[in-house]
């Protein structure tokens, strides 16, 4: 399937985001995620980066695949 073939190689996104996105783009409109399902999803309700964390991620995204929140929090102690 599309999800299995490409999700790990091309799309470097959080699993919760991939699950939400794929539920939103299903071919059958009756099987697509509703607004309520989107608002209740793990990704939608997940952690939100602080401005300095996001700036760090955006600046160093090229150097690493996708820094985890723990790495960002560790490095932010020295900023």
């Amino acid at each position: 399937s599309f999800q299995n073939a490409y999700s790990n190689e091309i799309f470097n996104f959080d699993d919760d985001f991939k699950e939400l996105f794929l539920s939103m783009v299903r071919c059958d409109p009756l099987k697509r995620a509703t607004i309520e399902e989107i608002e209740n999803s793990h990704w939608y309700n997940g952690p939100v980066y602080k401005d300095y964390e996001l700036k760090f991620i955006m600046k160093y995204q090229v150097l690493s695949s996708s820094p985890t929140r723990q790495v960002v929090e560790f490095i932010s102690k020295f900023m």
Side-chain angles (χ1 to χ4, degrees), residues 20-52:
L20 173 61
F21 179 79
L22 291 173
S23 72
M24 293 169 55
V25 296
R26 290 188 178 125
C27 291
D28 184 347
L30 298 176
K31 293 182 179 180
R32 288 185 195 139
T34 64
I35 296 297
E36 184 177 330
E37 291 169 332
I38 294 168
E39 290 176 344
N40 290 322
S41 71
H42 291 290
W43 184 83
Y44 187 87
N45 291 292
V48 177
Y49 290 115
K50 295 176 183 156
D51 285 345
Y52 66 88

Side-chain angles (χ1 to χ4, degrees), residues 1 3-4 16 18 22 28-29 32 35-36 39-43 47 50 55-57 65-66 70 72 74-75 79:
S1 77
Q3 180 181 6
N4 293 336
D16 289 333
K18 287 188 278 190
L22 291 173
D28 184 347
R32 288 185 195 139
I35 296 297
E36 184 177 330
E39 290 176 344
N40 290 322
S41 71
H42 291 290
W43 184 83
K50 295 176 183 156
K55 286 177 186 176
F56 174 83
I57 291 169
S65 58
S66 177
Q70 292 85 8
V72 172
F74 175 77
I75 292 173
M79 297 175 87

Side-chain angles (χ1 to χ4, degrees), residues 12 54-67:
N12 192 17
L54 188 56
K55 286 177 186 176
F56 174 83
I57 291 169
M58 297 303 289
K59 183 175 181 180
Y60 295 101
Q61 186 175 14
V62 175
L63 301 176
S64 64
S65 58
S66 177

